[in-house]
Amino acid sequence: MSRGGAHLEALFIDPDDHGKGVGNALLQSAISEHQVSTTDVNEANFQALRFYTLMGFQVVGRSDLNGQDRAYPLLHLRR
């Protein structure tokens, strides 16, 4: 997990640990301890979008390019 202020930059969980509450625990910690309220998700990553939606995030915007100006559209989420 990586964050910049209240923005969650990255949250990667080993696929073997998906569905075990690891991501939930890390995200809840980031929210309560660091007031994380925003993140971005690759538009094609439906599993991540579903996870963040279940955690109370909503899509508030979209970018055609990612942070490296590559054609990987991002969805901007806010809680």
Side-chain angles (χ1 to χ4, degrees), residues 2 16 23 30 34 49 56 70 74 77:
S2 168
D16 291 341
H34 304 287
L49 180 58
R70 294 184 178 164
L74 294 178
L77 309 176

Side-chain angles (χ1 to χ4, degrees), residues 7-75:
H7 184 76
L8 183 66
E9 299 287 346
L11 176 63
F12 294 104
I13 307 301
D14 187 304
D16 291 341
D17 292 321
H18 285 191
K20 297 180 181 177
V22 176
N24 187 325
L26 288 170
L27 184 56
Q28 288 300 337
S29 174
I31 291 168
S32 65
E33 295 178 25
H34 304 287
Q35 293 73 50
V36 163
S37 60
T38 62
T39 194
D40 298 321
V41 172
N42 184 299
E43 187 175 59
N45 190 341
F46 302 112
Q47 188 174 14
L49 180 58
R50 182 174 184 273
F51 169 76
Y52 287 112
T53 301
L54 290 171
M55 297 298 291
F57 285 79
Q58 297 179 342
V59 177
V60 295
R62 181 185 182 278
S63 297
D64 289 331
L65 305 175
N66 69 7
Q68 292 77 40
D69 291 328
R70 294 184 178 164
Y72 296 107
L74 294 178
L75 298 175

